Amino acid sequence: MEQKDKYIRFDWAIKRLLRNKANFGVLEGFLTVLLGENIHIIEILESEGNQQREDDKFNRVDIKARNSKDEIILVEVQNTRELYYLERILYGVAKTITEHIDLGEIYSNVKKVYSISILYFDIGQGRDYLYHGQNTFLGVHTGDHLKVTTKEQGAIVRKLPAEIFPEYFLIRVNEFNKVAVTPLEEWMEYLKTGCIRPDTKAPGLEEARKKLVYYNMDTAEKLAYDRHIDAVMIQNDVLSTAKLEGQEEGRQLGFRQGIEQGIEQGIEQEKMVTARKLKSLNIPVGTIMEVTGLSSEEIERL
């Protein structure tokens, strides 16, 4: 790969570079493509949930941003599997909501929250690479969407619950296997491969081509980045090996169980054949039960 084509992985960029106001254009472009509306980041918010720590090497890289509509956007990159991941993102959203409203404030001050998870592990079954979840209230009998009445700037307006409740995006990077045509697909290509097309016009990626060039980092930054990539690769190798070993162990266990089950079924079949022959010879049921171990009901059914 030519030097000009080597770009910093998004998980590292979001941790080290995109928190800088000068690089907001990359993050804004990504969010604009994902959410389908122009996003302008006002500031990166700090809280207990997105502090950089030494132990976050593999599992989480968070940005907590406030946009021009005073909404909160959580972006998290997850490199390795976490058993209760959905519960954790729910907790993170709930905590964000409570962090941004003070005790005694009116509920209209509750912030809309977007939770965006960029996942490099298999979270479960599904054929798509992008999943979106939001709250809707449907009539049980009518199927219509409920609109709630609220008050804004002295006027009574109607809103869909989805305009108020949190929204969740799960981006399954490893499931993307298409030729990139749309801006979203170009972003998926970058998230998966680290490659950005020279002629890209996708919002944020043009900016990324200027700001996220590997060879623009100083020596210390390059070393830290290379160590991070090595650590991620080692972690993934460990997990892949564990998965393969688990699958092989499962196959061996299944093979043994299959043999045992087959033997048991063969023995039962042999008992039935023996009992049927003895019954045809008018051998007493009690004797057949003693010879075969079958119950009187089983023998009667033969």
Side-chain angles (χ1 to χ4, degrees):
M1 182 179 292
E2 296 179 9
Q3 289 192 0
K4 65 179 181 180
D5 292 328
K6 186 168 182 178
Y7 298 99
I8 301 165
R9 271 176 55 117
F10 192 72
D11 58 347
W12 180 268
I14 205 170
K15 183 177 184 180
R16 303 294 179 118
L17 303 175
L18 302 188
R19 302 168 70 88
N20 187 324
K21 193 175 182 66
N23 297 327
F24 278 5
V26 177
L27 184 60
E28 288 173 342
F30 169 66
L31 296 174
T32 293
V33 169
L34 182 65
L35 302 181
E37 59 177 296
N38 287 325
I39 300 296
H40 179 57
I41 300 298
I42 300 299
E43 61 178 331
I44 300 298
L45 303 170
E46 296 295 346
S47 70
E48 184 181 330
N50 68 330
Q51 294 292 328
Q52 294 186 36
R53 305 189 309 276
E54 288 300 317
D55 63 354
D56 69 356
K57 192 177 297 180
F58 304 120
N59 284 335
R60 51 194 297 181
V61 182
D62 294 323
I63 273 188
K64 181 180 180 182
R66 181 172 68 89
N67 68 12
S68 57
K69 295 168 66 175
D70 206 27
E71 299 168 328
I72 307 298
I73 300 175
L74 304 175
V75 184
E76 179 176 322
V77 178
Q78 184 83 359
N79 280 312
T80 56
R81 182 173 178 80
E82 186 170 325
L83 189 58
Y84 297 109
Y85 187 74
L86 293 182
E87 288 84 350
R88 185 161 71 73
I89 62 174
L90 175 62
Y91 173 79
V93 168
K95 188 169 185 179
T96 297
I97 292 171
T98 56
E99 280 179 344
H100 291 276
I101 185 169
D102 294 326
L103 187 65
E105 281 192 82
I106 59 175
Y107 291 126
S108 62
N109 290 332
V110 169
K111 306 296 184 188
K112 166 86 173 187
V113 178
Y114 295 89
S115 172
I116 299 166
S117 299
I118 301 171
L119 308 177
Y120 287 87
F121 68 91
D122 183 11
I123 195 171
Q125 293 183 342
R127 292 176 294 176
D128 210 330
Y129 60 84
L130 175 62
Y131 285 85
H132 176 218
Q134 60 184 143
N135 291 79
T136 59
F137 290 87
L138 294 176
V140 173
H141 303 101
T142 61
D144 65 311
H145 287 264
L146 175 70
K147 286 188 177 182
V148 296
T149 302
T150 185
K151 187 175 182 180
E152 290 186 1
Q153 299 178 347
I156 301 297
V157 297
R158 295 187 184 279
K159 281 186 173 181
L160 291 168
E163 298 175 70
I164 302 167
F165 281 79
E167 294 187 37
Y168 302 86
F169 292 84
L170 299 180
I171 302 173
R172 305 169 71 212
V173 178
N174 295 334
E175 299 303 314
F176 179 73
N177 294 302
K178 300 177 65 176
V179 176
V181 176
T182 67
L184 176 60
E185 290 167 350
E186 286 192 48
W187 262 101
M188 291 300 303
E189 184 176 60
Y190 165 58
L191 293 176
K192 185 170 183 177
T193 67
C195 296
I196 304 175
R197 297 182 179 186
D199 59 346
T200 184
K201 298 299 180 184
L205 286 181
E206 285 187 278
E207 191 82 11
R209 291 192 76 247
K210 302 171 186 175
K211 302 291 182 67
L212 304 185
V213 181
Y214 172 81
Y215 295 98
N216 286 348
M217 293 193 294
D218 60 34
T219 303
E221 288 175 326
K222 287 179 185 176
L223 287 173
Y225 176 75
D226 290 342
R227 283 196 299 269
H228 168 74
I229 297 302
D230 288 343
V232 170
M233 291 177 66
I234 291 169
Q235 183 77 356
N236 288 337
D237 284 344
V238 169
L239 292 173
S240 296
T241 301
K243 183 178 179 180
L244 290 173
E245 289 175 348
Q247 289 173 342
E248 180 59 28
E249 184 176 338
R251 280 194 294 269
Q252 292 295 331
L253 178 60
F255 180 69
R256 291 194 298 270
Q257 289 176 339
I259 292 175
E260 292 170 1
Q261 185 178 358
I263 292 172
E264 289 177 4
Q265 289 175 346
I267 292 172
E268 289 301 313
Q269 188 65 30
E270 185 177 345
K271 287 180 181 179
M272 293 292 185
V273 171
T274 302
R276 193 174 289 112
K277 286 181 179 178
L278 293 174
K279 187 177 179 182
S280 69
L281 296 172
N282 296 319
I283 303 297
V285 172
T287 303
I288 299 174
M289 290 172 60
E290 193 173 326
V291 171
T292 64
L294 297 176
S295 66
S296 60
E297 292 79 8
E298 289 174 315
I299 295 169
E300 289 298 331
R301 289 197 294 268
L302 293 175

